[in-house]
Amino acid sequence: MTDYKELVDAASAAVGNATDLAALGALQAQFLGKKAAINAAKKQLGALDPDQRATAGKAINEARQQIEAVFSDRRDSLEQAARLVQLEAERLDLTEVWPRPARGHAHLVTQARDRLEDVFVAMGFTVAEGPEVESAWYNFEALNIPDWHPARGSFDTIFVNLGEPEEVMLRSHTSPVQVRTMESQEPPIYIVAPGRTFRTDAADATHLPAFNQIEGLVIDKGITMGDLAGTIDEFVRTFFGEEVKTRLRPSYFPFTEPSAEFDISRDDGSWLELGGCGMVHPNVLRNCGIDPEIWQGFAFGFGIDRLAVMRYQLDDIRELVNNDVRFLRQF
Amino acid sequence: MKVLLSWLREFAPDIDGDPVDLGERLSGLGLAVEEMTITGGGLDGVVLAKVLDLRPHPDADKIQLVDVDAGDGEALQVCCGAFNMSVGDLIPFATIGTVMPNGMEIAQRKMRGEMSNGMCCSGAEIGLGDDHDGILLLTQTANESKLGTPITEVLGIEADVLWDLEVNANRPDAMSVAGVARDLAAGLGVPFTMPTFATERSASAIADLAKVEIIDPTLCGRFMARVLSGVKVGTSPQWIQNRLTALGMRPINSVVDVSNYVMLELGQPNHTYDLAKVPNGHLRVRRAADGETLITLDDVERTLVSSDGVIANGADEVIGLAGVMGGASTEISGSTTDVLLELAWWDPPSVSRTVKRLNLPSEASVRYRRGADYGPNMDRALDRFVSLLAEMGATCASGQIDERGDLPSREPLRVRPAKINSLLGTDLDGDAMAALIEPIGFETARAGDDLDVVIPTWRWDTQTETDVAEEVARMFGYENLVRTVPKGDEPGGLSPYQQDRRLVRETLIGAGLDETFPMPFLAPGDLASAGLPEDGVTLANPLVHEESVLRTSLMPGQLKAIAYNQSHRVERINLFEIGTVFLPPKGTLLPDEHEHLCVALASQAAPRAVEILHVLDEALALPNMQLRAASPAGMHPTRSAEVVVAGKVRGHVGEVDPGVAAAFGVDGRVAWFELDLGALLDGPHGNRKYRRVSKYPSSDIDLAFEVPNSIPAAAVAGSLRKAGGKLLASLELFDTYRGQGVAEGTRSLAFRLRFQADDRTLTDTEVASVRQSCIDMVHKQQKGATLRS
C-alpha cells in the first residue's frame, strides 16, 4: 500500500508558497488536475486486487480531501487578504464631505400655520380662505360694525383707492372669511380661517403692518359658550401642552356676544392673553342669512406670528418679513 | 379708565381685600387691569422743602447745584437735573435714607465732584401724575410754614391703590368711578349706594336766566342746565387736584376741575358757558348747516357738515359742537362770574361721526359715544357740580332746565331664560338670572318662564336678549361655565388645493429652496423697475410712501430679498414664495387676486429654473407641461418661455431681465419662474395611471440630429415620440453640442430611445423598423433637422 502523505505534504508546502490566487490556480492544476499524481494513482486502482482496492481507494480519497482542504484554506486566506487590500485602497475621510444643505426651509409663519391647521383639522375643522382685499360689508358691516361704531377706529384699517372712500380695504382680520363661508355654506359649519391681515401699525420690534391671524367659527344647533370654552381648552392643551390652562375673561367685540378674551397659563403661574372669542352675534348670523333661533355658534381668533415669536423667543418680529436667508435657515 | 380704591369705597365701603385679588376680580368682570399702582406709599422721608439758591455745577452742563431748606433752616446742597425751579419755590424733597416708590434708596453721593444730599422730586417720582421732566412745584399749593413736614401730610396723600382699567366699548357704565364701584360691589357681593348731594339755591330763578330749545330731538335726548352765580375762577382744593392728577387729568382751574371731577366720578360729561357771553342764556340744539363754521376751544376754526350736532345761541350762531368740544366765544375766563352749566345726553352715533370726521377725541366724547347715563344720575351730577362749586363760594339759581328729545325706550325687554341657558350652557331659572343682574341695576319681573327686564339708564349699549345674556354670563362668571367640546358630523381636513399647496412647498424645500414671506407692499416705481405695467392698486393711507402699492407680481419682492442677502454676503440664495398678487379689478369692486408661486435662484441661469420646474411637474403630475418661447415682461428676452399646462399659459420660466435685476441692485443672473398657483392647481393634475412594467427585454438606440437653433428640442422630441408610439418606453436628451463638426446656426441633439413591448421580445427587424420611422418623422416634421452619421 502506497503512502500518500508525501503527496499531501508536497501540496501543502507548495500551496504555502503561493502568494496570490493566480499562483494558487496553477498549483491546483498540478495537484488536483487530470494529470495530477493523485488522479494517476486513482486510475491504477483497477489493477489491484479487489480486497486491496477498497483500502487503497479509501487512502487516495482521504489524501485528495486533505489536499483539497489545503487549497480551500489557502484560497480563503488569500481572498481575505485581497479584500483587505482593496478596502484599504478605497478608504475615504467622510469629514471631507462638507455640508451643503440639500434641503431648504419652510418659513416660520408657515410652520406655525401648518401646525395650527393640523390641530384644528384633527378636531374636525376644515380650513377656509378668502381675499386679502375686502369691502366694508365683509370687513365691518356684516360683522355688526356700522360706520359710526367706535370699534371701527380701533381696527386701524389700511384702505385702498378703489370704490368710494373707505369702501375697500386690506382686511383687518380674517373674519370676512367667516362671513363669506356663512353666506355660501349651510350650517353646520366648523372652519378655521388662517391668513394675512393688515393694520396701520408702523413696523417695529413688536409690530408689522402685515401679519397673520387664525380665526375659528363653529355654527351648529345647540352650540354653547361652554362649547367655546371647551374647544379653546382642547386646542390649547393639544398645541401648547397638557399642562397649559386656559381662562376666559369678559370682553367686547361687535361681532360676538357674550365676548371674551382668552388667556393661557405660563410656567410662572401668570396669564398670557392669547386672543379674543365669543358667541356669534345674532346680527352677524342674520346678516349672513342664518336664523339665530335655530343655529348658534362661536368664533375665536388670535395671531400666528406671535406664536412663532414666542416659540423661538425672537427679539424682533420684523425678522419674519426681512427674508434674511441666515434667519430662514435656522428653522 | 383709572380708579382709586379710596374713591370706590365712597360708594361701596365694604370693598376690601388684597389689591391683587381685587384686580383679578375686576378683570373677571371684564374690566381688565392694565396696570396697578400702590400710591402714597414709599414717601416716608419725602418732605416739603424750599429752594434757597441755584447755581451751575462747575463740572457738568446737564445738572445744576441747588441749596434747599428741608425744615431745619440749614442749606443742604443737592445736584439736580431739572431746571424749572426758581429761588423761593416749594418742592417735594427726598431726604437721605428715603426709599422711593420705585425702590431706589436715596443716599449721600458725589456727582462730578459735588456732594448731593438728597433728591428734588418730580410729580412722577412721588406718584403724582406722569410728569418726569420737571420738579413738582408746590409754591402755589403749600404753605412755607410747613417746611420739613412729610409731603403726604402737606398734600393730603393717603396710601391708596390705583388701577388702570381697560373699559370696553359696550361698558358706558364703567367709564366712571361710581360705575366701577357698582360692578365690583356686585362681583364681591357687597352693598353699593349712590349718594345724594344737597344743594342750596338762591332766590333767582333759572327761568329768568336761561332757555333751551331742542330743535332736533334725534340729536339730543335730554338737555339739563343750571345757572351758577358768584363763581370765582381760581385753584381748586388740593384733594380735588390730587384725585384728578391720580386719574391722569391735569388740574386747570376750579371750574374746569369740578367739571372733570364730576365726569370722572359719575360718568357725566358736562359743559360750562360764561353766561355773560350767551345773550339771554338762550341755547338752541340743532344740526349744523353744511359749511357753518365754529372756532372751538382749541382756537381752531372748524367747518361743519349737516350730520354734526351743534349748540347755537339765540341768534342761531353756533357756539359749541354737541358732545365734542365747546366754542371759544363762550369760554370760561378769569373774569367769569356767572356760569351756565350744561349736562346733556347726545345721540352716540351722531357724536361718533363728528369725532371721527374731525379727529377730535376727548374724555367727554368717549363717554357720549358709548352712551352716557340719561336717568336720575344727570340730576345727581348737577347736584354734585353745584355742591362742589358752592364750597368755593358759588350759588345756584333755583330750578333747572330739563328739556327732552328722543331717549332710548324704557319698555321692559322680554328675555327667555331658556334661550340664555342654551347660549351659555347653563341651567339657571329666571329667579337665578334675576338675582345675578339685579345688583348691577337691571330691574326684573317674572313673566311665566320668561323675564321682563328694564335696562338701566347707564347701559345704553344693552338693548337685546343677547346683551342681557352677556350680563348674566359676566355675573355668573365665565370661569364657572361647564366646558364641553362639540363634535360636528363631518370630518375635518384640508381641501385638495390646500394639500397640493403643501406638496408644492415640501417639493421646493426638498429641492433646497428657502421659503420667503415678504410684505405685499411695493414702492411707487417698483413695478416700472421690474418692467411691469404700473397698474398696481394703491393704498389710500399707506404708512410710508415706499409701501403704498399692492404687488401685481412676486418679482419685485424677491429681487429686493436677493439684493438684501447679497449685500450681507449670503451665498446660495435660493428662494421661493407662495403669495397673493393683486391685479386691477375687472369690472368688480375688489381687485383680481391670485395666489402665485415663484422661484428665484440668485447667480444661476435659466436652465436651473427649468430643472426646478420639472421637479414640480414630477410632484404634481401636470398633464403635458410645455415650454413655449416667449418674452414676458421683466424677463430675459432670449432666455424665457411660457409655461403651458394642458393648453393654458400658467406662468413663465427662465431668467430675470439683467436690466431689471440691476435696477433692484441684484448682482448676477437670477433664474426665475412665477406661476399662477391657484389656476394651476384648479386645473387638471395629479392624474397618474398605472402602466404595467414590461417583463420583456428592451433595446436602446441612440440618435443624434443636427438641428437648426430655431427648432426647439421639445419639437424634435415630439416627433420621436409620435413615431415611436407605444414601443418607445423612454426618451432622453443626453447631449447637446455646438461647435466644430456642427454647422453654424445648428446644434447636435443626441437622444437615447429605449424600445420595449409589453407582450413580447422585439425582434431586430422590428427595432430597425421603428428606428427608421423615428428618423423619417424628424426629417418630415422638423425641416432642416438631419440625422448625424
Side-chain angles (χ1 to χ4, degrees):
Chain A
M1 175 188 154
T2 314
D3 186 355
Y4 298 102
K5 186 172 181 304
E6 281 179 25
L7 209 50
V8 173
D9 287 346
S12 184
V15 162
N17 289 327
T19 53
D20 58 38
L21 288 165
L24 191 68
L27 288 173
Q28 184 151 358
Q30 181 186 338
F31 285 97
L32 289 168
K34 283 180 182 167
K35 294 175 181 171
I38 196 87
N39 285 332
K42 200 171 178 181
K43 280 176 188 158
Q44 291 162 8
L45 282 178
L48 297 179
D49 292 342
D51 58 331
Q52 288 178 330
R53 198 185 296 164
T55 315
K58 192 180 172 202
I60 290 172
N61 274 339
E62 281 175 3
R64 185 183 173 84
Q65 282 168 10
Q66 285 170 5
I67 294 170
E68 281 173 351
V70 163
F71 273 92
S72 171
D73 289 352
R74 186 62 181 166
R75 180 172 289 110
D76 284 352
S77 78
L78 284 177
E79 280 176 355
Q80 182 62 20
R83 177 181 143 80
L84 287 176
V85 168
Q86 177 69 25
L87 291 181
E88 188 55 41
E90 290 176 1
R91 180 176 293 280
L92 282 186
D93 173 8
L94 295 186
T95 68
E96 289 170 9
V97 185
W98 278 53
R100 276 174 84 84
R103 189 175 163 80
H105 303 80
H107 193 273
L108 261 192
V109 170
T110 304
Q111 293 183 29
R113 175 174 160 166
D114 285 357
R115 274 188 76 218
L116 290 166
E117 287 179 356
D118 292 344
V119 169
F120 284 113
V121 161
M123 289 170 69
F125 289 73
T126 56
V127 178
E129 297 174 69
E132 295 177 20
V133 175
E134 274 292 8
S135 64
W137 167 258
Y138 287 107
N139 200 62
F140 289 130
E141 273 144 38
L143 291 160
N144 200 33
I145 315 171
D147 66 346
W148 59 266
H149 202 287
R152 269 216 192 179
S154 66
F155 284 100
D156 301 325
T157 312
I158 301 177
F159 295 97
V160 304
N161 291 316
L162 290 174
E164 298 293 314
E166 307 202 350
E167 187 183 4
V168 182
M169 63 215 63
L170 286 161
R171 65 181 179 191
S172 46
H173 42 192
T174 56
S175 306
V177 180
Q178 297 188 25
V179 176
R180 287 176 179 275
T181 305
M182 285 188 279
E183 280 182 351
S184 64
Q185 188 182 324
E186 294 287 322
I189 294 170
Y190 290 75
I191 58 159
V192 285
R196 211 160 204 184
T197 52
F198 305 86
R199 306 257 171 117
T200 55
D201 282 334
D204 63 23
T206 54
H207 296 89
L208 286 174
F211 53 102
N212 295 273
Q213 280 191 340
I214 185 166
E215 294 185 6
L217 173 73
V218 168
I219 307 285
D220 207 339
K221 287 178 179 158
I223 293 294
T224 71
M225 199 168 171
D227 290 332
L228 167 61
T231 299
I232 285 178
D233 199 56
E234 178 162 292
F235 154 70
V236 166
R237 282 188 289 106
T238 311
F239 190 83
F240 292 97
E242 277 299 320
E243 70 287 358
V244 180
K245 296 183 171 33
T246 57
R247 76 170 181 189
L248 266 52
R249 284 181 290 109
S251 187
Y252 171 75
F253 306 104
F255 29 87
T256 50
E257 187 162 36
S259 298
E261 307 267 6
F262 63 95
D263 301 338
I264 59 172
S265 63
R266 286 191 277 217
D267 290 345
D268 64 0
S270 65
W271 294 93
L272 175 73
E273 185 179 318
L274 197 66
C277 61
M279 302 301 291
V280 179
H281 198 287
N283 290 350
V284 176
L285 293 174
R286 276 186 217 106
N287 287 339
C288 300
I290 293 174
D291 184 349
E293 287 298 314
I294 300 173
W295 303 98
Q296 295 180 169
F298 62 75
F300 57 85
F302 53 92
I304 298 176
D305 305 318
R306 246 182 89 214
L307 297 183
V309 167
M310 278 162 48
R311 182 167 187 199
Y312 292 103
Q313 301 182 342
L314 307 186
D315 51 11
D316 194 331
I317 197 169
R318 284 171 295 196
E319 290 287 12
L320 296 179
V321 293
N322 279 349
N323 303 307
D324 189 322
V325 171
R326 295 167 297 177
F327 172 80
L328 300 174
R329 285 184 187 147
Q330 292 175 30
F331 307 101
Chain B
M1 175 77 201
K2 293 180 178 175
V3 294
L4 281 168
L5 176 59
S6 62
W7 208 343
L8 295 176
R9 280 192 180 138
E10 290 180 10
F11 300 91
D14 295 340
I15 291 177
D16 202 4
D18 184 315
V20 173
D21 293 344
L22 291 174
E24 285 290 309
R25 197 70 210 94
L26 285 165
S27 290
L29 290 162
L31 304 170
V33 176
E34 293 190 322
E35 196 181 356
M36 186 181 84
T37 323
I38 309 292
T39 64
L43 294 180
D44 296 344
V46 180
V47 300
L48 188 70
K50 180 181 174 183
V51 177
L52 299 177
D53 187 36
L54 295 162
R55 56 187 182 280
H57 189 293
D59 199 23
D61 294 336
K62 300 242 168 89
I63 50 177
Q64 64 174 336
L65 300 178
V66 187
D67 282 345
V68 300
D69 173 1
D72 55 8
E74 305 263 331
L76 267 177
Q77 176 178 290
V78 187
C79 299
C80 180
F83 291 83
N84 65 324
M85 292 171 283
S86 310
V87 170
D89 273 341
L90 301 181
I91 58 167
F93 178 74
T95 54
I96 287 165
T98 303
V99 178
M100 302 300 291
N102 67 5
M104 179 178 76
E105 182 170 349
I106 304 299
Q108 187 182 50
R109 60 189 184 121
K110 262 191 182 163
M111 294 173 81
R112 292 257 177 151
E114 290 289 338
M115 195 58 79
S116 188
N117 297 292
M119 184 176 81
C120 307
C121 302
S122 70
E125 279 161 341
I126 58 171
L128 279 178
D130 299 324
D131 190 354
H132 291 267
D133 297 335
I135 300 306
L136 180 64
L137 302 180
L138 302 169
T139 321
Q140 303 295 319
T141 44
N143 193 315
E144 198 173 326
S145 66
K146 295 277 180 73
L147 288 188
T149 310
I151 208 73
T152 48
E153 191 182 322
V154 175
L155 296 178
I157 304 171
E158 288 170 18
D160 212 335
V161 184
L162 179 74
W163 288 286
D164 191 355
L165 305 176
E166 181 189 345
V167 178
N168 292 311
N170 65 332
R171 295 296 306 277
D173 62 305
M175 290 304 290
S176 70
V177 175
V180 172
R182 181 193 294 115
D183 225 40
L184 182 55
L188 295 170
V190 302
F192 165 84
T193 322
M194 269 293 196
T196 52
F197 302 99
T199 59
E200 291 190 10
R201 302 303 184 90
S202 67
S204 54
I206 192 166
D208 302 329
L209 301 169
K211 175 183 157 194
V212 172
E213 289 176 89
I214 298 179
I215 312 292
D216 185 344
T218 65
L219 166 66
C220 181
R222 193 174 178 191
F223 194 114
M224 301 185 76
R226 289 188 192 175
V227 169
L228 289 141
S229 305
V231 174
K232 288 187 274 296
V233 179
T235 49
S236 47
Q238 189 65 45
W239 67 271
I240 290 184
Q241 293 192 36
N242 288 352
R243 281 194 163 171
L244 292 180
T245 306
L247 268 62
M249 297 198 85
R250 188 180 287 273
I252 310 279
N253 63 47
S254 50
V255 177
V256 175
D257 291 356
V258 165
S259 171
N260 286 333
Y261 191 93
V262 170
M263 176 180 69
L264 294 174
E265 182 175 63
L266 298 172
Q268 303 280 185
N270 49 80
H271 184 68
T272 49
Y273 301 83
D274 186 335
L275 186 58
K277 296 171 187 165
V278 182
N280 303 319
H282 188 176
L283 300 179
R284 294 166 53 83
V285 177
R286 61 172 172 83
R287 301 278 175 179
D290 278 323
E292 266 188 301
T293 59
L294 166 70
I295 297 172
T296 42
L297 278 175
D298 51 4
D299 284 328
V300 176
E301 185 176 76
R302 313 276 176 183
T303 303
L304 309 178
V305 299
S306 61
S307 60
D308 295 328
V310 297
I311 297 107
N313 61 19
D316 216 25
E317 297 159 343
V318 180
I319 58 170
L321 260 179
V324 178
M325 191 180 271
S329 68
T330 56
E331 189 179 0
I332 303 290
S333 69
S335 60
T336 300
T337 56
D338 295 337
V339 167
L340 176 59
L341 169 62
E342 163 202 312
L343 209 131
W345 188 88
W346 303 108
D347 174 53
S350 297
V351 175
S352 282
R353 288 194 182 101
T354 301
V355 168
K356 191 181 162 203
R357 189 177 66 78
L358 297 174
N359 190 23
L360 258 182
S362 69
E363 285 286 335
S365 68
V366 81
R367 288 168 173 79
Y368 287 129
R369 291 175 76 180
R370 288 162 200 243
D373 192 343
Y374 53 88
N377 199 48
M378 291 178 75
D379 302 77
R380 182 179 299 112
L382 287 171
D383 287 346
R384 182 60 157 160
F385 194 110
V386 167
S387 69
L388 286 172
L389 265 197
E391 289 176 25
M392 296 174 236
T395 57
C396 183
S398 61
Q400 66 182 9
I401 288 169
D402 189 356
E403 295 296 324
R404 302 291 176 111
D406 299 343
L407 281 175
S409 164
R410 297 284 289 148
E411 284 296 305
L413 173 72
R414 177 69 53 91
V415 304
R416 300 161 295 171
K419 178 68 176 173
I420 293 177
N421 280 325
S422 103
L423 269 176
L424 305 182
T426 46
D427 185 20
L428 302 165
D429 62 18
D431 288 338
M433 288 188 189
L436 286 171
I437 58 176
E438 276 171 359
I440 51 172
F442 289 77
E443 296 165 32
T444 63
R446 291 299 294 259
D449 287 339
D450 297 339
L451 283 178
D452 281 341
V453 176
V454 180
I455 310 294
T457 53
W458 53 86
R459 296 305 299 270
W460 176 75
D461 193 83
T462 305
Q463 298 167 0
T464 66
E465 181 178 62
T466 320
D467 295 334
V468 173
E470 179 167 64
E471 293 308 299
V472 170
R474 211 166 58 79
M475 301 316 290
F476 179 73
Y478 285 12
E479 67 279 11
N480 296 322
L481 297 172
V482 175
R483 296 178 176 193
T484 44
V485 181
K487 293 288 181 216
D489 294 334
E490 302 291 323
L494 296 178
S495 69
Y497 181 86
Q498 290 157 349
Q499 293 176 36
D500 285 338
R501 184 172 50 196
R502 286 195 181 187
L503 171 63
V504 167
R505 188 180 289 120
E506 283 304 316
T507 301
L508 295 175
I509 290 167
L513 277 59
D514 293 320
E515 188 184 15
T516 57
F517 213 51
M519 292 199 286
F521 310 123
L522 302 180
D526 277 355
L527 289 171
S529 299
L532 298 165
E534 287 191 275
D535 55 359
V537 172
T538 55
L539 305 185
N541 54 335
L543 279 157
V544 286
H545 187 60
E546 291 70 30
E547 297 176 355
S548 60
V549 181
L550 292 178
R551 62 186 179 189
T552 58
S553 157
L554 301 181
M555 189 186 279
Q558 292 301 311
L559 293 180
K560 288 179 185 183
I562 289 174
Y564 173 89
N565 280 290
Q566 286 181 335
S567 73
H568 290 82
R569 293 169 37 87
V570 174
E571 288 168 5
R572 302 195 313 279
I573 306 166
N574 301 314
L575 310 177
F576 77 98
E577 182 188 1
I578 297 171
T580 306
V581 300
F582 307 84
L583 306 180
K586 289 179 179 162
T588 53
L589 179 64
L590 300 181
D592 183 21
E593 291 187 23
H594 296 262
E595 185 155 71
H596 275 199
L597 160 70
C598 75
V599 160
L601 312 166
S603 308
Q604 299 195 54
R608 184 60 189 147
V610 176
E611 285 174 13
I612 301 283
L613 185 63
H614 281 291
V615 173
L616 193 68
D617 179 19
E618 192 68 27
L620 292 174
L622 298 173
N624 191 20
M625 183 183 82
Q626 293 179 319
L627 305 187
R628 206 157 61 194
S631 302
M635 294 188 66
H636 194 302
T638 58
R639 289 187 164 205
S640 297
E642 289 175 339
V643 181
V644 182
V645 178
K648 299 246 168 59
V649 177
R650 297 305 189 198
H652 307 105
V653 63
E655 254 175 65
V656 174
D657 186 312
V660 168
F664 282 89
V666 169
D667 194 22
R669 298 181 183 279
V670 178
W672 173 264
F673 71 73
E674 182 163 0
L675 303 176
D676 186 333
L677 186 64
L680 185 74
L681 295 182
D682 281 346
H685 67 281
N687 193 7
R688 295 178 163 94
K689 281 207 180 95
Y690 168 63
R691 184 180 167 187
R692 190 155 47 106
V693 177
S694 174
K695 295 188 195 69
Y696 296 92
S698 58
S699 303
D700 289 354
I701 299 288
D702 290 352
L703 293 176
F705 295 93
E706 194 170 290
V707 183
N709 287 338
S710 59
I711 298 176
V716 179
S719 296
L720 292 172
R721 282 202 188 90
K722 185 171 163 67
K726 282 175 75 175
L727 294 184
L728 183 62
S730 71
L731 176 67
E732 192 186 338
L733 175 64
F734 69 89
D735 188 44
T736 346
Y737 170 74
R738 287 177 173 83
Q740 206 177 3
V742 180
E744 184 75 20
T746 72
R747 80 284 200 201
S748 162
L749 300 174
F751 295 91
R752 176 156 299 155
L753 300 83
R754 172 163 291 185
F755 295 110
Q756 191 175 29
D758 286 347
D759 53 355
R760 65 188 190 281
T761 302
L762 291 176
T763 64
D764 290 351
T765 317
E766 281 178 297
V767 172
S769 165
V770 70
R771 175 181 181 276
Q772 192 56 48
S773 300
C774 287
I775 296 166
D776 292 347
M777 185 66 80
V778 171
H779 284 159
K780 181 183 161 206
Q781 291 191 331
Q782 313 302 335
K783 297 297 177 205
T786 52
L787 182 71
R788 300 185 75 203
S789 48

